[in-house]
Each structure stands twice: as C-alpha cells, then as structure tokens.
Amino acid sequence: MQNQYVRKTVIQIHDKHFVPFITAEEIDEVIDRMARQAQEDLKDEVPVFIGVLNGSFMVVSDFVKKYTEPCEVSFVKLASYEGMTTTSEVKQLIGLNQNLEGRSVVVIEDIVDTGNTVAELKKIFEGHNLKQLKIATLFFKPEAYTKDIKLDYVGFEIPDKFIVGYGLDYDGLGRNLPQVYQLKE
Ligand code: IMP
Ligand code: MG
C-alpha cells in the first residue's frame, strides 16, 4: 500500500507546499555508497555508529543494514538549554551511556546546514578520548555551511533550500515520508 504522500506530486505540510526532490531509490543507492566507503575505511575496527536524533533515525537504520561488518549502533540527542546568562546557550548530549575511549566513532546526521550542530558534537566528542571521529551526513548544504570541519561521508550536496522527508521534518511533520521533498518556490 502506498503512503498517501507518494501519489501526489505537490504535497502540503502545514502552510507550505513541497515538490518531489530525491526518490527513495536514489537515497538507497547513495546510502549504499556511503556504507561501503565507511566499511573500507573502518575494516580493521569495530566502529560505533552514533545517530543524532530525531532526524537521523531513517538514515541510520538503512546505513547499518548495508554495513556488513561488526559494528555498534547508538543514538544521542543534542539538547540546548540557556546557561547562567541569557546569552549563553549550552549544548548537552543526552543518551550517551557508553565509554567511547579508544573507539572509532562515526556520527551520523540527517543533514548538515550551517554546521553548528556538527561543531557542537565535535567539541563534545573531543572530550571522550576517541581513537577517531568521523562525520557522516546524508544531506549537506555547502552554501549554508559556516565551518571548516571535514565531513567524511556525504550523501547528497544540495542547494540551500528547505527539504522534508526521510527523517527530516517541517515543524514536526513529514519525517515518515520515504522520499525527500523540496520547498516549492
Ligand atoms: P545545522 O545548521 O547544521 O546545525 O543544522 C541544524 C538542524 O537544522 C539540522 O539537524 C536539521 O534538524 C535542521 N535543518 C537544517 N536544514 C533543514 C532542512 O532543509 N529541512 C529540515 N531540517 C533542516
Ligand atoms: Mg538533525
């Protein structure tokens, strides 16, 4: 049975319209390529793949099914709260309950936009004495990226336009879409 969204060309979520952008088949092929690259790089390790919730749940699920060597899988959430002064926003990692010392960790993101999230994650993981940290992201918006942190595995480089589907939401909706839609002009 087809998802209600798949049949329609233009879909509406809340107040906005979206058009099909990347198919489920294209996503599948690209994740396969990413997993094979990671496996080649990490064949002598038992890596820990860490998905960043909520958006990464679909990509992590598909990625690890294509990674055929031993690995661990875990999820974290990055929560922000106001610090002691109103201007300082402090990021905190929720859900990391494992010693990662000496491990090869691959953070898996759904999308890297400005890079702020990746920068926070990198800073936090630097305190864990890892053997190595690699970053994987299904989507990357180079025009919006403000950091110089290297992204090791990038699925799609996309224009700086809002997308939904395959884990990504617009104000809570759209995460369940098996394909990706782009905001209609
Ligand atoms: P950052 O700017 O790289 O820190 O990305 C922050 C977060 O913004 C991502 O983890 C996504 O949750 C969200 N985000 C950025 N671009 C999009 C988009 O096009 N669609 C949906 N969410 C997005
Ligand atoms: Mg995210």
Side-chain angles (χ1 to χ4, degrees):
M1 198 176 72
Q2 278 204 322
N3 182 302
Q4 60 157 324
Y5 296 113
V6 177
R7 277 176 275 127
K8 296 184 192 162
T9 306
V10 178
I11 61 163
Q12 181 168 358
I13 300 175
H14 297 300
D15 58 326
K16 301 238 186 308
H17 291 89
F18 293 86
V19 292
F21 181 46
I22 298 175
T23 66
E25 291 72 25
E26 288 167 326
I27 294 169
D28 190 72
E29 279 170 29
V30 161
I31 294 178
D32 192 66
R33 193 233 316 138
M34 291 170 74
R36 279 188 280 110
Q37 279 175 357
Q39 192 157 320
E40 180 58 29
D41 291 348
L42 299 165
K43 55 177 181 265
D44 301 324
E45 312 281 332
V46 178
V48 188
F49 294 114
I50 299 184
V52 184
L53 294 172
N54 291 330
S56 74
F57 70 98
M58 281 206 194
V59 56
V60 172
S61 170
D62 286 339
F63 182 97
V64 298
K65 280 181 272 182
K66 294 173 188 299
Y67 193 92
T68 56
E69 293 292 324
C71 63
E72 294 179 31
V73 186
S74 187
F75 287 92
V76 295
K77 197 159 186 164
L78 204 56
S80 51
Y81 58 92
E82 295 300 320
M84 298 304 286
T85 66
T86 47
T87 46
S88 67
E89 201 200 22
V90 185
K91 294 278 189 187
Q92 191 191 25
L93 210 53
I94 299 173
L96 192 65
N97 50 12
Q98 168 182 14
N99 183 4
L100 295 173
E101 195 173 335
R103 302 299 301 273
S104 293
V105 170
V106 183
V107 166
I108 304 182
E109 272 278 19
D110 46 355
I111 188 164
V112 173
D113 183 30
T114 63
N116 290 337
T117 308
V118 155
E120 290 293 341
L121 288 165
K122 192 160 187 251
K123 204 164 72 188
I124 291 167
F125 281 111
E126 267 164 8
H128 286 260
N129 291 317
L130 307 182
K131 179 173 179 185
Q132 57 180 327
L133 176 67
K134 290 184 179 289
I135 314 275
T137 186
L138 181 58
F139 298 105
F140 175 45
K141 294 178 176 172
E143 295 157 14
Y145 196 53
T146 61
K147 309 290 173 187
D148 52 20
I149 299 164
K150 180 187 161 213
L151 306 174
D152 299 276
Y153 311 109
V154 174
F156 299 92
E157 291 198 0
I158 60 168
D160 187 12
K161 275 174 89 174
F162 196 82
I163 58 171
V164 287
Y166 199 75
L168 290 156
D169 73 306
Y170 168 46
D171 201 10
L173 295 181
R175 293 195 197 276
N176 58 320
L177 294 164
Q179 57 188 314
V180 169
Y181 290 79
Q182 189 179 53
L183 186 65
K184 190 170 183 279
E185 291 295 349

